[in-house]
Structures are given as C-alpha cells and as structure tokens.
C-alpha cells in the first residue's frame, strides 16, 4: 500500500471513529427512552397483575361465602315444611283433655314435640314467640288489632301461630294479635 492509501485509510478510520462516537450518543438517548418505556410498561403490568390478584381474591371470597350460605340455608325449604308438624303437635298438646286415660298418650306427644323442637334447634331453626313484646313487622304478621287499655300500643297480645327463623333468616312470620292505640277523646266536645 502506498502512503496515500494509508492516509486515506486513516482519514476514513477517523471518520468512522467519529461516527461511532456520534452513534453511541444517539443509541444512548434511544436506550434511555427505551428504558423509560420499558419501566412504564413494567409498572403498568405490575398494576394489572395486582388488580388481577385482587379480583381473584374477591371471586374466591364470594365463592366461599356462597358455599357457606348454601350449606347454612340448604335445609330451609325442608324446615319450612316441617313447621306444620310442630304446629300440629302443639295443637294436640293444647287440646288434650286432663284425663288419666289420655295422660300417657299426652306424655308421648310432649316428648315427641320436645325431641322435634330440639332437632330443629340443632339446625338453627329457632322459634319466634313475641307475646308481650313490641310488634316488629319484619318478624310478625298482624292478623288483627284490638283495644287493650292496659297494654302499650303496638304490643303483641296473643300469638296465634309461632314464627320461625333459620340462622337468623325468617322462615315464617309469627301471626299475632296486636294492641292498638286507645282512641283519642276529643276534650272540646
């Protein structure tokens, strides 16, 4: 190679080296932008993952609650049908004459009724017997209102049919007779 070729090659090398110095600065700027974009994408993906995990926890929690409610209230329809049996046993006890001949039979019915109510209580079917308590429209159904000067207004005077709840949920409202407010006398007349 000639000297001229060497000097041309040196100039080209210098130009290439100069370009290499310019290119890394451009790449460096480009790399910073890429890093910034990638960090933003990572932050966005992390947020999406957190939201997905929270949603999955909520779905799991709701599913567990649904299963728990299904177990709790699975016997609700069955228990509602059995309430008539409890009512009939109670009526039998109330209507039985006080006779020595019937006494053993009455004791058997009472034992059956107690066993039946104990079984209902075991499955959280509880009696609503509100006699003497204030009327609660969420738990009681008023079938009539009567004047009762010695009772507070809206007090349950008599329970015609007991009500029942299952795990706190109303199965059947108690049918009750409620006292009404005394009529107001017009003092001007």
């Amino acid at each position: 190679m000639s000297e001229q070729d060497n000097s041309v090659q040196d100039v080209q090398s210098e130009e290439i080296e100069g370009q290499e110095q310019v290119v890394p600065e451009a790449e460096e700027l480009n790399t910073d932008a890429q890093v910034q974009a990638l960090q933003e994408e990572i932050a966005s993906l992390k947020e999406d993952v957190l939201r997905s995990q929270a949603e999955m926890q909520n779905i799991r929690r709701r599913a567990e609650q649904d299963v728990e409610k299904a177990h709790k209230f699975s016997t609700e329809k069955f228990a509602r049908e059995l309430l008539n049996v409890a009512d009939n046993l109670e009526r039998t006890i109330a209507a039985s004459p006080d006779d020595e001949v019937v006494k053993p039979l009455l004791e058997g019915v009472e034992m059956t009724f107690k066993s039946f109510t104990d079984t209902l209580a075991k499955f959280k079917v509880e009696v609503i017997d509100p006699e003497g308590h204030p009327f609660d429209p969420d738990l009681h159904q008023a079938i009539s209102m009567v004047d009762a000067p010695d009772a507070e207004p809206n007090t349950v005077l008599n329970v015609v049919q007991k009500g029942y709840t299952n795990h706190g949920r109303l199965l059947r409202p108690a049918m009750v007779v409620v006292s009404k407010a005394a009529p107001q006398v017009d003092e001007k007349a």
Side-chain angles (χ1 to χ4, degrees):
M1 275 197 185
S2 72
E3 206 175 289
Q4 191 178 11
D5 287 338
N6 279 343
S7 66
V8 168
Q9 198 173 23
D10 289 339
V11 170
Q12 287 177 344
S13 293
E14 287 176 10
E15 287 177 4
I16 291 174
E17 286 176 10
Q19 287 177 355
E20 286 176 359
Q21 290 174 356
V22 170
V23 170
E25 288 176 13
E27 283 181 12
E28 192 174 299
L29 290 176
N30 194 18
T31 305
D32 286 343
Q34 287 176 339
V35 168
Q36 179 78 17
L38 290 174
Q39 286 177 340
E40 289 173 4
E41 186 177 349
I42 288 171
S44 173
L45 291 173
K46 280 183 179 180
E47 186 176 326
D48 289 347
V49 167
L50 287 175
R51 288 179 190 264
S52 296
Q53 287 175 341
E55 186 174 339
M56 289 305 296
Q57 284 178 337
N58 287 339
I59 289 170
R60 189 177 302 118
R61 183 180 43 80
R62 275 188 241 119
E64 287 171 357
Q65 288 174 345
D66 289 346
V67 167
E68 182 182 331
K69 284 181 183 178
H71 286 295
K72 237 184 205 184
F73 302 114
S74 64
T75 59
E76 189 171 301
K77 288 180 183 177
F78 181 68
R80 190 175 289 126
E81 292 298 320
L82 289 177
L83 298 181
N84 292 328
V85 176
D87 293 339
N88 290 333
L89 288 171
E90 239 179 328
R91 283 187 207 110
T92 302
I93 293 168
S96 297
D98 195 17
D99 189 355
E100 288 299 317
V101 175
V102 181
K103 189 173 183 178
L105 181 63
L106 179 61
E107 287 175 0
V109 172
E110 287 172 342
M111 288 174 30
T112 303
F113 179 67
K114 181 175 178 353
S115 173
F116 188 76
T117 55
D118 290 346
T119 302
L120 288 176
K122 185 195 267 186
F123 290 96
K124 303 295 184 208
V125 177
E126 297 167 350
V127 176
I128 301 171
D129 191 5
E131 193 165 327
H133 294 93
F135 176 75
D136 181 356
D138 293 331
L139 298 174
H140 314 139
Q141 180 177 347
I143 57 172
S144 71
M145 294 186 81
V146 295
D147 290 326
D150 56 330
E152 290 285 321
N154 292 326
T155 299
V156 176
L157 297 175
N158 188 17
V159 178
V160 176
Q161 184 180 49
K162 291 180 182 177
Y164 290 87
T165 59
N166 183 15
H167 291 277
R169 185 188 284 183
L170 186 66
L171 280 178
R172 180 178 78 188
M175 294 204 179
V176 297
V177 176
V178 181
S179 66
K180 63 181 176 179
Q184 295 193 4
V185 178
D186 193 8
E187 294 180 12
K188 293 179 183 177

